[in-house]
Amino acid sequence: MMLQRILPAGKDFIKEIVSAEDILVDATCGNGHDTAFLSRLAPDGHIYSFDVQAEAIDSAREKYQADNISFVHDGHENISKYISTPVKAGIFNLGYLPGGDKSITTVYDTTITAVDALFNLLTPGGRIIIVVYHGHDSGKIERDALLENLSAWPQDKAQVLKYQYINQKNSAPFLLVIEKLK
């Protein structure tokens, strides 16, 4: 068996724990691919999909129409304004919208706020998947802040895994997996 690429590995970390009726979060809707993936995993559950860019939400809504998806045109740092029920898993793809305005990126302060809020909603054994794209200036700042913040989390609260290929060129993305302990 070959090692998995970053995003497929992240999706497998979600597949391992999700049931059909779970509540899931796509914290960075973008083109909507992860939202659609989550919707298929939990057809009897509900998916909340966040993005600050209206064109991302509109495009994803047009491509992926399912009764179990709520598209939210708001920043992921506001997750707790929209969700109060327990969440099984969430995914972040950091950086900028593929094919979009590269000056609009995720930023460390709102990302850390969102990760904290989502973690507080997680069920024991729930997971947060973060794909870190750090090949641009704000991505480097966000990477460093996330690693510093998550490295300080108590190990009795969560397990935090970094999945990264270290022999890749051009600041290849890596994966952070946070699992809430029981």
Side-chain angles (χ1 to χ4, degrees):
M1 177 172 110
M2 293 187 64
L3 292 174
Q4 288 195 46
R5 295 173 52 94
I6 298 302
L7 189 54
K11 288 180 176 181
D12 277 354
F13 281 114
I14 292 175
K15 280 188 225 176
E16 289 175 356
I17 63 164
V18 169
S19 300
E21 67 283 348
D22 285 331
I23 305 299
L24 308 172
V25 174
D26 182 351
T28 51
C29 176
N31 290 315
H33 304 306
D34 292 336
T35 299
F37 162 76
L38 296 174
S39 176
R40 290 188 300 273
L41 275 183
D44 301 322
H46 199 81
I47 288 60
Y48 292 88
S49 184
F50 291 82
D51 208 294
V52 295
Q53 296 181 71
E55 59 272 15
I57 292 290
D58 293 343
S59 174
R61 182 182 285 128
E62 187 177 303
K63 286 187 271 187
Y64 304 111
Q65 297 176 7
D67 292 337
N68 67 338
I69 302 172
S70 292
F71 289 98
V72 182
H73 177 216
D74 200 353
H76 52 212
E77 70 275 16
N78 296 314
I79 283 173
S80 58
K81 289 182 182 178
Y82 299 91
I83 307 170
S84 58
T85 56
V87 172
K88 189 61 171 268
I91 188 166
F92 291 74
N93 268 294
L94 303 180
Y96 49 82
L97 176 66
D101 182 347
K102 292 181 180 181
S103 70
I104 302 171
T105 67
T106 56
V107 292
Y108 75 91
D109 56 343
T110 59
T111 297
I112 289 171
T113 299
V115 168
D116 287 340
L118 184 53
F119 185 83
N120 288 333
L121 292 168
L122 277 186
T123 60
R127 292 179 181 164
I128 299 173
I129 307 304
I130 306 169
V131 183
V132 181
Y133 293 92
H134 57 111
H136 52 98
D137 290 342
S138 66
K140 289 173 180 40
I141 295 166
E142 189 172 36
R143 171 201 65 205
D144 294 346
L146 264 172
L147 289 173
E148 180 179 345
N149 179 279
L150 294 174
S151 294
W153 280 26
Q155 63 185 14
D156 62 342
K157 170 182 167 179
Q159 296 187 102
V160 182
L161 168 72
K162 182 179 178 187
Y163 182 90
Q164 179 177 26
Y165 291 98
I166 60 173
N167 66 336
Q168 304 296 301
K169 296 178 185 176
N170 301 323
S171 301
F174 64 89
L175 188 65
L176 296 170
V177 180
I178 303 166
E179 182 174 69
K180 189 170 192 172
L181 296 177
K182 297 181 179 177

